[in-house]
Amino acid sequence: MTQRIALIGHPVAHSLSPAFQQAALDALGVDARYEAWDLLPEELPMAAERLRSAELLGANVTVPHKQAMLRFIDRPDALVERVGALNTIVRRESLLHATNTDVSGILSALEAADANPRGMRVVLLGAGGAARAVVVAMRLGGAASLTVANRTIERAEALVALGGDELPIAVCSLGAGDPALRAAMEGADLVVHSTTLGMSHGPDEGGSPLLPDMFHRGQVAFDLVYVPERTPFLLAAEVAGARPLGGLAMLVHQGAESFRLWTGYEPPLEVMFRAARTALATRQA
Ligand code: NAP
């Protein structure tokens, strides 16, 4: 029987995951199909029931359902509890297990770029869903401190508790004129961008939260946005001599971890990166 893996979100047509997950399945000869399920909130109960059937290995869950799917999960792991959101479901017998591979995706992407956050002073721009995974990753990765800058300051404040006792978190506003942000940027080894600014086809396409004068040489600038591959944030960082790291690495690494959980196989990272870059090129064309 050909098995299936679902990508649950809305919309999902733009996603690169089907391209690189199917390439990985095919490369290892796994008889499975990775398919996009574009679902409205009211369709989630039906989707959860489908996921319990024997032909489903599991699912990825993306925006806007990463929290809403939680109520259908039998066994959320500790990461899901910490982040408050899931991105991967694995069916075992008829039970749905869930984890959040965004956290390991962030850490693996940084590790692969020789930018392990251990001991680093980190600035995080944005405080939405993806930012929650960044905070947990920085805590588990042993960052020395974190400053969260967001347009809506209350959302940044809501992330402070995620740092626990290990990771001290300060908050400030995302305005370039904010002296607290300027001071944090001067001391930062790593700057992570998790707003939607600069995303192709988004409302703020072409936008960057920071101009080059806020970065400095030696800093690592990590953008979670991956379309386009060279975002306005990365270009601004590069002008100042900072080291740019695009969001594609996180995307592929989180997907690779999900692949490992569904199939039990070591994910073919090179195949996945190649397929993701090819799919990205067609989106950017
Ligand atoms: P989200 O929950 O909707 O959060 C959006 C964030 O962007 C909030 O902090 C919001 O600030 C901020 N924002 C939106 N418009 C803004 C503007 N005009 N000026 C300043 N700030 C603005 O989104 P998300 O799920 O966290 O995703 C954020 C980004 O990460 C997206 O581009 C997504 O594609 C990317 N992402 C990448 C990966 C990957 O694997 N590489 C994984 C997950 C997400 P307010 O709180 O003030 O509204």
Side-chain angles (χ1 to χ4, degrees), residues 89-217:
I89 298 173
V90 181
R91 184 191 57 77
R92 297 207 179 100
E93 304 301 332
S94 63
L95 294 184
L96 301 183
H97 294 241
T99 188
N100 190 315
T101 66
D102 282 338
V103 175
S104 64
I106 290 161
L107 291 172
S108 298
L110 288 169
E111 187 76 43
D114 203 15
N116 187 316
R118 183 157 301 281
M120 283 192 179
R121 291 159 298 177
V122 183
V123 169
L124 168 62
L125 311 170
R132 297 184 67 83
V134 175
V135 176
V136 172
M138 292 306 108
R139 177 178 171 179
L140 294 176
S145 66
L146 180 66
T147 300
V148 183
N150 198 47
R151 179 178 60 178
T152 310
I153 199 91
E154 294 77 15
R155 282 186 94 186
E157 283 164 353
L159 297 186
V160 170
L162 285 180
D165 293 334
E166 297 113 84
L167 180 62
I169 299 181
V171 302
C172 63
S173 97
L174 189 52
D178 187 315
L181 176 57
R182 198 162 272 282
M185 284 295 292
E186 275 166 17
D189 310 297
L190 170 64
V191 187
V192 185
H193 175 226
S194 79
T195 83
T196 48
L197 286 168
M199 241 171 73
S200 290
H201 311 301
D204 303 296
E205 186 169 0
S208 169
L210 299 179
L211 294 173
D213 69 332
M214 295 288 276
F215 296 92
H216 60 76
R217 188 167 295 282

